[in-house]
Amino acid sequence: FLLTGMRCRPSVAIIPKYSEEDTALSTQDVEGRATIIPVPKGTYINIHVPGLHNNRKLRSLRILQSY
């Protein structure tokens, strides 16, 4: 029960990060079309924790378990 509560209402809303190297993020729009977003080195990035925890597509990804 506690873990579900933390997932629904995490104590941290945003994790600020900087890109350490040039990279790209792949995502999809509402209609399911793939889009690549270039992220240059040094770009300021905010990771929205509630959005990650409430996205059913991302719950099983191992990368989210490393936070």
Side-chain angles (χ1 to χ4, degrees), residues 14-64:
I14 294 175
I15 300 172
K17 296 283 185 181
Y18 282 97
S19 174
E20 292 185 1
E21 59 186 34
D22 291 340
T23 190
L25 300 175
S26 59
T27 188
Q28 292 181 345
D29 63 15
V30 176
E31 297 170 356
R33 293 181 296 225
T35 303
I36 303 295
I37 302 170
V39 182
K41 180 179 178 178
T43 301
Y44 184 74
I45 300 169
N46 283 321
I47 299 172
H48 186 248
V49 177
L52 291 176
H53 285 265
N54 292 306
N55 187 331
R56 292 177 190 227
K57 292 180 182 179
L58 300 175
R59 284 187 192 163
S60 63
L61 294 178
R62 289 179 178 238
I63 191 168
L64 296 182

